Amino acid sequence: MRWLEISVRVPTELADNIAEVLSRYAPHGIAYDYGPIETDDTDWERPCLPPPILTLRVYLPMTGDWETARQRIEEGLWHLRQVLPFPPPQFRELDETLWEEAWKAHYDVLRVGPFVIRPSWRTARLEPGDLLIELDPGMAFGTGTHPTTRMCLQAIAKWVRPGDRILDLGTGSGILAIAAARRGAARVWALDIDPVAVQVAQENMIRNGVADRVVVMRGSLEEARALGERFDGVVANIVAPVLCGFCERGIGELLQPRGWLVVSGFFHGEQEEIVRRALEAAGLTVTRRWIEESWVALGARRRRSG
Ligand code: SAH
C-alpha cells in the first residue's frame, strides 16, 4: 500500500482547527512536530523572535476514495487560510516501508494518568505504580496520542476495578483493552471490524503478556451480544453515527445493572448532543464528561429499571 503524507506548517492560533480538518479525513492519527527548539539565553529578549512553528502531519492511505479525502482537506485548509494566512500543505507519497519509518519517528514514550505507553522501539523508566503499555501501533489506530484515546484511558484508570469484565468495541491497536487488563480486569473482550486491527491488537496482547485475559475478535456489537456476557464496563472510541447505532441496537443491555459505558470519538457541539440523546434513549444516564481539543468523551451508567 502507498501513503500520502500531508504536512502543514501552521500558525499556533489555528492549530486546533487545522488538526480537526486533517483528522476528519485522515483518521489514522496526527503527528505534532514542534521542530528544534532554540535555547539561546542571550537572545530571549530580542523583540522580533519568530513565533514557534508547528508542523502537523497526517498519513492518508492511497486506497478507495483517497483523492476525495485529499480534496476535502485542501478545501478545509483553503477556508482556514482566509482567516489567517499560512503556507499551502506539502504532499509526499510514501511506500509502506517509508511510511512506517516516518510514522515511528513521531512516537515517544507517553504518560496518561497511571499508564506509560511505550512504543516497542523506545525505552522507558518506570516509577512505582506505573502501568506499562507496550505498543506497536502498526497500521491500526490507537497510539495514545489522540485526545479521544487519552480520555478513554483516563476513564479506564478511574472506573475499571480488579476482577471486572470489560468490553472494548473498536479496539484498534488494542490500547484500551491492555489498559483495562493492567488495571486488573479479569477478562476483556476486544472487538474490531477491521481485520488488520484484529491482527495488530492480538500481537499487542502477546507483547504485553495479557493474551490469557484479553480475547481479541473480529466483530462489533452483534458479536459482543452473542458472547452472552453482562459487562461491568464498555468502552467504544469510534465515531458518532456508529455509537448512535450501538445505542439504538441496545448496547445498554450488555451492561451489568450498575455497569458503565464510555464513548468517545466525536466533537463537542452538535455531535455531542446527538450522542447524548442516543445514550439517554438507550436507558443510560450521562454522569461524566471529558473534553480535550474539542473532542469529547462521555461516561454513562445504566439507569435502574423498575
Ligand atoms: N480503541 C482505540 C482505537 C479507536 S479507532 C483507541 O481508543 O485509540 C476506532 C476503531 O473502531 C477502528 O479500529 C475501526 O476499525 C473500529 N470500528 C469502526 N467501526 C466499527 C464498528 N461498527 N464496530 C466495531 N469496530 C469498529
Side-chain angles (χ1 to χ4, degrees), residues 44-243:
W44 69 275
E45 268 184 315
R46 266 203 348 219
C48 292
L49 278 180
I53 293 166
L54 170 63
T55 305
L56 298 183
R57 284 198 186 86
V58 289
Y59 297 88
L60 195 62
M62 297 171 73
T63 55
D65 208 5
W66 68 274
E67 279 165 279
T68 308
R70 171 184 169 153
Q71 202 184 334
R72 294 272 184 280
I73 288 176
E74 288 192 90
E75 283 164 8
L77 295 179
W78 184 88
H79 283 291
L80 288 173
R81 213 172 298 122
Q82 312 310 305
V83 180
L84 197 68
F86 57 92
Q90 305 278 308
F91 298 98
R92 185 163 71 123
E93 285 186 26
L94 304 174
D95 66 19
E96 196 78 21
T97 322
L98 277 175
W99 170 75
E100 262 196 51
E101 291 311 312
W103 199 214
K104 276 183 179 178
H106 294 302
Y107 287 110
D108 210 338
V109 176
L110 189 78
R111 282 181 172 273
V112 183
F115 302 111
V116 176
I117 302 143
R118 182 171 77 83
S120 53
W121 56 91
R122 301 246 187 227
T123 53
R125 250 192 57 183
L126 294 184
E127 308 288 336
D130 281 351
L131 301 175
L132 180 66
I133 299 178
E134 290 188 88
L135 263 200
D136 192 350
M139 266 166 296
F141 184 98
T143 55
T145 57
H146 197 266
T148 59
T149 311
R150 288 201 300 261
M151 292 187 288
C152 290
L153 287 169
Q154 278 155 7
I156 287 168
K158 208 172 164 57
W159 284 357
V160 173
R161 299 268 172 268
D164 275 357
R165 301 169 87 74
I166 303 292
L167 173 66
D168 175 15
L169 278 176
T171 196
S173 65
I175 184 169
L176 302 180
I178 300 167
R182 286 272 182 269
R183 286 293 289 169
R187 209 155 179 78
V188 185
W189 286 266
L191 276 68
D192 205 294
I193 50 171
D194 174 4
V196 175
V198 170
Q199 193 192 329
V200 171
Q202 183 59 43
E203 284 162 13
N204 282 330
M205 298 312 150
I206 295 165
R207 191 192 310 280
N208 284 273
V210 295
D212 56 336
R213 279 179 291 151
V214 183
V215 181
V216 181
M217 287 168 44
R218 180 142 181 220
S220 186
L221 187 73
E222 281 61 41
E223 287 73 14
R225 191 195 307 283
L227 294 167
E229 283 284 336
R230 288 291 193 94
F231 304 98
D232 299 292
V234 175
V235 284
N237 179 14
I238 311 188
V239 290
V242 173
L243 298 172

